[in-house]
Amino acid sequence: MAISYNKRELQKKKEQKRQEKQKRKEERKANGSSSLDDMIAYVDENGVITDTPPDTVNKQKVEIDSIVISTPKKEDIVETVKKGRIEYFNSDKGYGFIKNAINTDKHFFHISNAPTSIKEGDKVTFELERGQKGMNAVKITLAS
């Protein structure tokens, strides 16, 4: 089987490319510079990417115990007494809403947490407690 002229030329080109690649590799080794060193980048304390390593003198030490991974838990019960007005009350079903006098938030309340003589428009004092669907008014008393 005879090798055609084109195949010989292709083999010569491949061999020449291999030799050139080997020569470049040896030159890099002789120069002593690694391409990996050129690729390393550092981020400083301001988030800027630089090619100089960070200064370890100004480095702050962080204690592992001071790192909080989760969000802090909200308090379930707010102890302060608030003032408001009965915005809506349904005596048949036994619930209503109190409008806060300070920030106009409306809070649900059940008749079991209020005096029996309560009606719409009454001024009251109350405390807030977290319920299933949000903050509920509890310990409701008529304001004097």
Side-chain angles (χ1 to χ4, degrees):
M1 220 188 221
I3 298 176
S4 68
Y5 176 74
N6 287 337
K7 284 187 179 179
R8 274 190 236 136
E9 287 295 317
L10 289 174
Q11 286 176 349
K12 284 181 184 179
K13 285 182 182 179
K14 282 185 181 179
E15 184 61 33
Q16 188 177 7
K17 284 184 181 180
R18 273 192 218 118
Q19 288 174 356
E20 287 175 4
K21 186 175 180 181
Q22 184 66 27
K23 191 185 281 187
R24 287 192 307 261
K25 185 177 179 183
E26 289 173 2
E27 286 176 6
R28 281 195 308 264
K29 279 187 177 181
N31 291 339
S33 65
S34 167
S35 62
L36 180 63
D37 292 335
D38 298 337
M39 290 189 282
I40 292 179
Y42 301 97
V43 179
D44 66 1
E45 63 273 0
N46 298 321
V48 178
I49 298 174
T50 63
D51 58 349
T52 58
D55 185 19
T56 57
V57 175
N58 296 334
K59 188 175 180 181
Q60 295 178 354
K61 295 197 178 206
V62 178
E63 292 187 28
I64 294 175
D65 296 336
S66 68
I67 299 172
V68 179
I69 297 174
S70 64
T71 56
K73 207 173 191 183
K74 292 183 179 178
E75 288 190 29
D76 290 341
I77 299 174
V78 178
E79 296 293 330
T80 60
V81 177
K82 302 189 179 292
K83 294 182 181 181
R85 185 174 59 86
I86 303 295
E87 185 75 14
Y88 172 80
F89 179 62
N90 187 335
S91 59
D92 295 336
K93 295 188 178 181
Y95 74 92
F97 292 93
I98 297 176
K99 187 174 185 179
N100 194 335
I102 297 171
N103 57 10
T104 67
D105 287 344
K106 293 182 182 177
H107 303 287
F108 173 84
F109 74 93
H110 191 266
I111 190 67
S112 61
N113 294 319
T116 54
S117 63
I118 204 163
K119 60 187 183 302
E120 283 186 23
D122 286 349
K123 294 190 182 216
V124 293
T125 59
F126 62 96
E127 293 181 14
L128 291 177
E129 182 178 90
R130 184 166 302 282
Q132 290 178 342
K133 296 184 180 180
M135 298 303 279
N136 294 340
V138 294
K139 300 181 183 175
I140 302 167
T141 57
L142 292 171
S144 46

